[in-house]
Amino acid sequence: MLRLRWLAGLFVAALSASLIAEGATAREKVGGQLVVYSAPGISALLEPLVEPFARHTRDKFGVAVKVDIVTRSVPVVWATLQTEWPNPSGDVYFLYAEHISEGIRRGYLQPLRPHYSDADWARFDPEAMRALDADGYAAPFILTAIVLAVQDSLPEDAVTGWGDLSGDALKGRFTFDSAMSVGAGYSAVAAAALVQGSDWRDWFKDGAFDEAAARPTLELMRRWAGNALTMTHGSGTIRPLLARGEALVSAWWWANTMQEIRKGLPLRIVYPKEGTVTAVQPGPVVTSVTKNPVAAIEWVKFVHSDFAAQVSRKLGYMARIPLVGEDPPPEWKEFVARAKQMPIDGFRAAVLDPAYNEAFIDAYRRIVIQDQ
């Protein structure tokens, strides 16, 4: 199927590929405007690249391309692309992997691989590439990982893994995200499946969600919810509870936790003994109908470049996946050394698939929230 998807996208790339082959450095081949749809957390990385990119394109193409970054949540961006098609207002989009798969099927996107040399494409982390499985339409950009952010005041052996969230020691003093509110809530479900020893692949079969197979995991999450201080709704609700000391432990993104530790919040990271659930977030993708294809591809390459990596490091953004041959920051080296990574890219794709999502959310609401 991947081969079919690749072939289906080749005709989409023909125009932009031919432009490059015929001499894409000519001024008339590059437009002066590029619209990029981005997510809130990503835009902070992109804004510092706008002016350097204009200088880069002026030197390379003779045209200083102005990048207009439009910041929206990823689900809103995806909905906007679908609504506006076949005349989308954007040229480049940041989407989740499951959106990219659907976008490929619908012909919304063009593959990036034909625009990279073998050597340059090989610089993307091989394991992240396999986890992303974007068929050459996107490259890995960010690794999301859920860890346990633990107050330094707790003894070292007080919290060692996800299983501790059910214990009396943390009753009313820990938080985790609700899957009813934010995507991180799905990662919490995957973590509970690790504790339960449940294979989530058994939950999603033949276009139907098997509630009976998922119920033991969701019932464990119900016990977590009953034992928690609260179910949170993203970083904006997690940080204040940790900062005020109301939460002793929170399931939180590794990169966010590390940033807060850098800022002086008295926390430590516990990499759960059962495993640290991770997922690869793709970098920018280019529409098949962009009116500025050369600049769009150049922007993608610029976002993935060594220069962008340096900017990311200066900003203290640690979730970006290092390129092969890059010397990663110490925090990344620590993560790789200490985290027992459990990729859940397939789980996210399944649980967010329209064929399963409505039934899953209904079961989550009844079992975890309503205790039915």
Side-chain angles (χ1 to χ4, degrees):
M1 179 175 178
L2 292 178
R3 179 62 177 169
L4 290 175
R5 283 165 52 189
W6 175 266
L7 290 174
L10 284 181
F11 82 94
V12 171
L15 174 60
S16 52
S18 64
L19 286 175
I20 292 175
E22 294 168 8
T25 58
R27 292 171 186 255
E28 63 270 19
K29 304 291 187 181
V30 179
Q33 183 78 22
L34 201 66
V35 177
V36 175
Y37 275 84
S38 173
I42 302 297
S43 291
L45 295 178
L46 303 185
E47 293 288 355
L49 300 180
V50 170
E51 288 302 321
F53 182 71
R55 294 193 296 270
H56 168 74
T57 56
R58 182 193 60 209
D59 294 342
K60 184 171 183 177
F61 303 116
V63 178
V65 178
K66 181 181 183 299
V67 176
D68 180 18
I69 297 175
V70 181
T71 303
R72 303 284 189 274
S73 70
V74 174
V76 170
V77 167
W78 172 238
T80 300
L81 176 58
Q82 294 177 88
T83 301
E84 294 181 343
W85 192 263
N87 298 300
S89 53
D91 301 286
V92 179
Y93 289 78
F94 277 84
L95 301 170
Y96 291 146
E98 53 272 14
H99 301 147
I100 291 175
S101 295
E102 182 66 14
I104 295 170
R105 188 184 70 80
R106 296 185 186 186
Y108 288 1
L109 309 176
Q110 62 168 290
L112 302 179
R113 179 64 183 90
H115 303 283
Y116 277 80
S117 68
D118 290 345
D120 287 341
W121 193 254
R123 292 200 66 199
F124 293 116
D125 182 270
E127 292 185 12
M129 288 286 276
R130 284 191 291 271
L132 181 59
D133 191 25
D135 211 14
Y137 283 77
F141 188 51
I142 290 171
L143 185 72
T144 61
I146 295 289
V147 296
L148 295 172
V150 180
Q151 298 280 2
D152 279 340
S153 58
L154 282 179
E156 287 290 332
D157 59 352
V159 181
T160 60
W162 301 113
D164 295 320
L165 302 186
S166 301
D168 291 339
L170 293 181
K171 187 172 181 60
R173 301 302 301 275
F174 77 91
T175 74
F176 67 97
D177 275 331
S178 168
M180 298 293 296
S181 303
V182 291
Y186 293 118
S187 295
V189 176
L194 285 178
V195 177
Q196 194 66 31
S198 176
D199 187 347
W200 55 263
R201 296 170 187 82
D202 296 333
W203 305 0
F204 312 100
K205 289 187 175 178
D206 303 322
F209 172 65
D210 188 340
E211 182 176 320
R215 178 170 276 274
T217 293
L218 296 179
E219 287 180 344
L220 172 60
M221 298 206 73
R222 174 57 196 156
R223 294 196 292 275
W224 285 4
N227 206 40
L229 168 65
T230 185
M231 294 176 69
T232 42
H233 310 285
S235 297
T237 57
I238 294 171
R239 189 193 185 285
L241 294 174
L242 287 170
R244 293 195 298 264
E246 295 176 39
L248 295 177
V249 178
S250 287
W252 204 10
W253 299 119
W254 166 76
N256 293 55
T257 307
M258 189 63 74
Q259 285 175 335
E260 294 303 326
I261 291 173
R262 273 185 166 187
K263 294 176 184 177
L265 214 59
L267 301 173
R268 67 177 182 272
I269 289 177
V270 170
Y271 300 95
K273 60 185 179 184
E274 301 91 346
T276 298
V277 294
T278 64
V280 175
Q281 296 294 331
V285 291
V286 178
T287 69
S288 58
V289 294
T290 173
K291 295 178 177 61
N292 200 356
V294 175
I297 293 295
E298 196 69 21
W299 171 257
V300 170
K301 291 183 175 182
F302 199 72
V303 169
H304 284 297
S305 69
D306 289 312
F307 175 83
Q310 294 172 9
V311 171
S312 175
R313 184 175 296 197
K314 288 178 181 177
L315 292 173
Y317 195 90
M318 287 165 279
R320 182 188 156 279
I321 300 173
L323 296 169
V324 173
E326 180 183 331
D327 184 25
E331 293 87 352
W332 182 269
K333 293 177 181 178
E334 177 193 324
F335 173 82
V336 171
R338 298 186 58 189
K340 177 185 175 183
Q341 295 188 48
M342 306 295 291
I344 59 164
D345 303 86
F347 172 76
R348 283 187 55 87
V351 80
L352 292 169
D353 189 322
Y356 305 114
N357 188 252
E358 186 175 346
F360 172 83
I361 286 296
D362 177 66
Y364 186 95
R365 180 187 298 109
R366 287 184 287 102
I367 299 170
V368 180
I369 306 298
Q370 299 173 348
D371 194 18
Q372 295 181 4

